[in-house]
Structure formats: structure tokens, C-alpha cells
Amino acid sequence: MQKFTGISAFSYAATWAARDLTGTSKTRFSAHGRLLAAGVAVAFILVPLGSGVAQAQTATLNWTNTHQVIDGFGASDAFQGGSMSAANQAFFFGTGSGQLGLSILRVEVSDDAGSAPGDCSSVSTSCAGAYVSDMTAVIANGGRVYASPWAPPAKYTTNGSVDCSAGGGSGALATSNYAAYATWLANFVQSLKSGGINLYAISVQNEPDMCMSYDSAVWSSSQLDTFVKSNLGPTFASQGLSTLILLPEASNYSATTNLGSTCATDSSCNQYVAGFNWHEYQASLSGTNTVAADSYPSGWPTGKKFWETEASCGNGFGPNFCESGFNTDINDALDWAAVIDQRIAVDGANAWLYWWFIESNPSDDEGLTDGGSNIAKRAYILGQYSKFVRPGYSRIDATHQPQSGVSVSAYKNSGATALVIIATNYTSSAVSQQFSLTNAPAFSTVTPTTTSASLSLAQQANVSVSNNSFTYTLPANSITTFVSSAPAPPAAPPAPTNLTSKAI
């Protein structure tokens, strides 16, 4: 994991100065930098005083130009000792008023140790683990369950421990136990299935590039390749398991491209792999909303899923915009909004997950909430996507940055009757934004829902749509999701009946 560093954002000085001058942003510049930025900001602020709202430029959406299918958005309950309360399950997974609608739950695979108890030597309720209630809850709300192993069981590792650093260190899966561990993972899937839970996807290993003093194990690129093509893939296939296999889930994008490269370029391995996954601890933000790309690696097989499966700011590690303490404000949230937007709307990811749902007594930003009344705005930012862009929706073409400081992405459901538009205003002023939809069925209204400094997933008044076009004022420092449904296409007329033939 990367330690966080400061950012350079001179080109966006006016925006950040405006936030500092209005008291809505934490300090991001040195004293000299703030004075210089303030001077630049004055020049920009003087221009629009008479207009009140920045002028709109059209964001054009093309209904028929379809991109990736969205698998969902979510977080993890790993290392929590068991399922969360029913109230928290409703808040995180529900789609009602005030709920986030998160659609992917990431769980630990049982490794028969303290953090993930459960013996998967055979199919059993013990093997299913301690998080079955959470799994049931997310599925009941239309979501999916995804599992990551933090370590093979101690009896299968080279150092006799699930702790990679214990004993001789560098704990790894012993090659003599590859077949047994493939069966262990298959038993985990089968144990959940016996309890009515269909595991959507499973990773081969959480962060195989990290040897830590907790449940962890190291793998090389060639070891991952051999294990999947010779053991895990054939085992799942022989048992008829539909659970998707993902790899390599390294701690950052660059490590993922290294550890996934052997399997990605080996057809005997990647035939068993549904997609590739990575963690977001290397994300780099400059200015208000410019994020370095983590695009699907060139030369890797097409048609595979691309999942970001863990992101947060910890004490001493995380993206370059991380701050100390537990941050609940809109500025932290908009940093994460910029990352999610880049990954989904530009890099083409199919899923995006934060780290923890809950971090009790937090001293950093590893969780979305503290388990009590303190809910970080970044939780609601994630809900602006997950509650409305449901699994199976597809991203459609949209003008990504129709004006400075504004990003737009758009989606439709599989039945081509629902439209979702997500627009983020990273600036400290309200902006007028026009939207125009082409090659689409007729929509009459859209319903906006907004998260800002003062609003949290708050539904707003409906907006009329004329000729598939509308204009909306995006509040300062906000994200707004517009939702609409078009009339279903008319049913085909019934086939005629009671017909008789007549000779002519």
C-alpha cells in the first residue's frame, strides 16, 4: 500500500481558493500557495458576478451507444467478527428512502482461523462462515455476494500459519496442496449454495503482493496461473459451479498488471477467469477531479470483467488525497466521486467497492460509517451510484466533461426503459447544465437526487423533459443522480385466430 503524499493543484487554484475563502474546504496549500490562489480566484470570481450561475454547455447522451455492463457497487464486512445488525443491513443494502442500495457485499473465505473461522475440508454450515446473515440481506435486496480469501488454511501453507509473516515468513500456498485448496474453495461455494446463497464471484487471493502480520499469503504471477489452470478452474468446472473466478486482486493497479499478466496471456488459464480485479490504494488525484487512469491492460483478453474491489484512506497509506482522521465532509466525498467517475465512466470498470462498511472507533477513513450516527458523505456518494445504477445496467455514451468542473455519465437498464444520469459539480458555485438524449424513447420527467454539504441522497422535485432535453442547476460541490422511466414499447398485436382457408 502506498503512503499518502500532498498534491499539486496550481491549475485549479481558483476553485480551491474559492472553497478556502468560503470556509468549505480543508487547507490544501501552503500559506504562500493560498495567497497566490486567492489572487487567481479573484480574477475568475469577478467575471460571473452578474450572471449568478455559470452558463450551460450541453451534455449529449446517446441511448444506442452502449459500453460496459455494471455489476455493482459495495464494500466489505471482513474482519468484523460476524454479520452487522439488521438496521445496518437495511441502511447499506436497502433501496428505500435514506438507504444506500449497495449491491455487492465482499466477504472473507473461511480459513479456519480467528478472523475467518470455518472448516471447509467438507461442505458444511461451519464452512459457510460467520457472515451468512449479511449475505442473505444483500441478495434479498437485489445484490450480489463476492468472496476473497485472505489466506489458505494454515495446514496448507509453507509456514504453517495464516499469518504470512509468522514462522519463517513469506507464507504461501504449498504446491503440494494446490489440489486440496482448490477443493477447499469449491466447498466454500457449495456450503453457501446449500444454505440458499449463490456466490456470484470469488477471488483467488486478497493482495497476493503483500506479506502481512495478519491473514495473508504471497503468490507470484506464475503460481496464480498454475493454480487456476491446473486446479481451481478444472475443480469448479467438474462440479458445475457458476461462481465467477477473478484475479489477482493486488494492492494497487501496477501490482495487478504484473501479477495478472501470466494468466491474462495464457489461454489455458484465462479460459477459467471471468475478470481481473485490483485495489485502489495507488489512486492519484490532481486538481478537483483529474484522476490518473487505471485502464484495462493492453493485450489482455477482451470480454473480461474489470473490478476495483477495495479502496480507502488508512493511517499512512492510501491515495494521494488522503487526510488524517475520520473525515465525513463533502470535500473528502468529492475526491472519491472523482475516482469512481474515472474508473466507471473512463476506465470502463464493471464494479467499484470501498473497503469497510463500518469501522468502529475510527481514526482514519477505512470505513463508510463508524457504526453509529457518524456517516461519511462518501457513503452517500457511493449510494448516488449504487442505489440507481443496479446490477445489469449498462453505461451509455455521454459527454463526460461538458464544462469545467463538471462530469457526467449515463446508464440504462437491460429492458431499455430506465435512464440514469449522474452529474457531479466539483466547483464552489452552482452551474446550469443542459442534457440532451439522442436515439432514445421519449422521457417526460426526470427525478433528481442530490448529495452535497447539506443534502444526503435527498430527492428533489421532478424536472420536465421536452424533446428529450432538460436543463438543471447543479448545486455547488455536489453530485446529482437523475432517474427516469420511459413508457414500455407497445406489445405486439395478438395473432389472429379462427381463420379459415378459401379456394380462389
Side-chain angles (χ1 to χ4, degrees):
M1 295 179 182
Q2 299 294 108
K3 293 185 177 180
F4 63 86
T5 59
I7 65 172
S8 174
F10 180 81
S11 62
Y12 289 82
T15 300
W16 287 114
R19 290 192 185 183
D20 281 344
L21 290 171
T22 56
T24 59
S25 176
K26 295 181 178 66
T27 300
R28 296 186 178 228
F29 298 121
S30 65
H32 173 74
R34 287 196 301 275
L35 288 171
L36 180 59
V40 176
V42 169
F44 282 87
I45 292 171
L46 288 175
V47 174
L49 284 179
S51 60
V53 176
Q55 294 302 302
Q57 298 178 38
T58 302
T60 302
L61 290 58
N62 188 334
W63 185 259
T64 57
N65 191 348
T66 303
H67 300 283
Q68 81 271 26
V69 173
I70 303 301
D71 292 322
F73 304 86
S76 178
D77 61 4
F79 294 89
Q80 300 298 307
S83 291
M84 64 185 83
S85 68
N88 279 328
Q89 289 173 348
F91 171 69
F92 288 117
F93 305 135
T95 57
S97 177
Q99 299 174 332
L100 301 185
L102 298 180
S103 53
I104 297 180
L105 165 67
R106 181 177 176 231
V107 301
E108 286 182 271
V109 174
S110 301
D111 61 14
D112 204 20
S115 67
D119 185 354
C120 292
S121 298
S122 61
V123 175
S124 65
T125 55
S126 168
C127 177
Y131 301 94
V132 169
S133 177
D134 284 350
M135 299 184 213
T136 302
V138 72
I139 291 173
N141 283 281
R144 294 163 167 173
V145 181
Y146 158 63
S148 296
W150 262 255
K155 62 184 179 182
Y156 294 158
T157 65
T158 55
N159 65 339
S161 175
V162 296
D163 178 343
C164 178
S165 65
S170 300
L173 177 64
T175 55
S176 59
N177 291 320
Y178 276 21
Y181 187 47
T183 299
W184 180 282
L185 295 178
N187 287 346
F188 179 73
V189 177
Q190 296 280 25
S191 296
L192 293 178
K193 188 175 182 180
S194 296
I197 296 169
N198 290 317
L199 185 64
Y200 182 74
I202 190 169
S203 185
V204 177
Q205 171 67 44
N206 172 73
E207 297 187 348
D209 56 318
M210 305 290 285
C211 186
M212 309 300 292
S213 57
Y214 52 79
D215 296 32
S216 53
V218 291
W219 296 67
S220 68
S221 180
S222 62
Q223 288 169 338
L224 289 167
D225 176 74
T226 298
F227 176 65
V228 170
K229 71 182 180 184
S230 301
N231 303 102
L232 186 62
T235 298
F236 274 35
S238 67
Q239 295 188 24
L241 300 180
S242 60
T243 298
L244 307 179
I245 297 173
L246 306 178
L247 63 76
E249 201 171 18
S251 65
N252 57 64
Y253 174 77
S254 59
T256 289
T257 58
N258 291 329
L259 286 171
S261 60
T262 303
C263 180
T265 55
D266 179 0
S267 60
S268 61
C269 176
N270 65 50
Q271 65 174 322
Y272 295 114
V273 173
F276 302 94
N277 49 354
W278 86 102
H279 290 176
E280 194 72 87
Y281 292 103
Q282 204 179 48
S284 178
L285 171 70
S286 59
T288 58
N289 61 312
T290 301
V291 176
D294 284 354
S295 54
Y296 189 83
S298 176
W300 287 22
T302 59
K304 303 293 185 181
K305 295 181 181 297
F306 193 43
W307 281 26
E308 186 288 313
T309 53
E310 185 180 315
S312 73
C313 287
N315 288 317
F317 63 87
N320 68 345
F321 53 81
C322 291
E323 302 170 272
S324 61
F326 181 61
N327 296 277
T328 61
D329 59 278
I330 191 63
N331 296 295
D332 165 78
L334 288 175
D335 289 343
W336 286 112
V339 173
I340 299 171
D341 173 73
Q342 172 68 32
R343 299 298 173 247
I344 301 296
V346 182
D347 297 333
N350 304 94
W352 197 94
L353 282 69
Y354 203 74
W355 175 206
W356 274 326
F357 294 102
I358 299 169
E359 182 184 18
S360 300
N361 303 312
S363 60
D364 57 18
D365 287 337
E366 292 185 79
L368 296 173
T369 79
D370 66 355
S373 59
N374 293 313
I375 302 169
K377 284 288 184 179
R378 59 182 172 272
Y380 293 110
I381 290 288
L382 194 52
Q384 293 280 159
Y385 284 84
S386 61
K387 189 172 183 175
F388 307 105
V389 184
R390 303 300 292 170
Y393 277 48
S394 295
R395 183 171 67 88
I396 62 174
D397 204 51
T399 305
H400 182 229
Q401 294 182 336
Q403 56 182 305
S404 179
V406 173
S407 67
V408 173
S409 60
Y411 311 83
K412 66 179 179 181
N413 67 343
S414 58
T417 58
L419 168 68
V420 178
I421 304 170
I422 299 177
T424 307
N425 177 13
Y426 301 93
T427 76
S428 57
S429 299
V431 296
S432 177
Q433 181 60 60
Q434 184 177 12
F435 301 88
S436 179
L437 185 62
T438 62
N439 302 319
F443 292 89
S444 59
T445 62
V446 292
T447 302
T449 296
T450 298
T451 293
S452 64
S454 59
L455 301 173
S456 298
L457 271 174
Q459 184 172 313
Q460 307 299 298
N462 285 352
V463 178
S464 296
V465 177
S466 177
N467 296 320
N468 272 355
S469 181
F470 69 96
T471 299
Y472 192 79
T473 299
L474 303 173
N477 300 323
S478 71
I479 180 170
T480 300
T481 304
F482 303 92
V483 179
S484 186
S485 296
T497 58
N498 299 321
L499 298 180
T500 58
S501 60
K502 182 178 180 180
I504 297 177

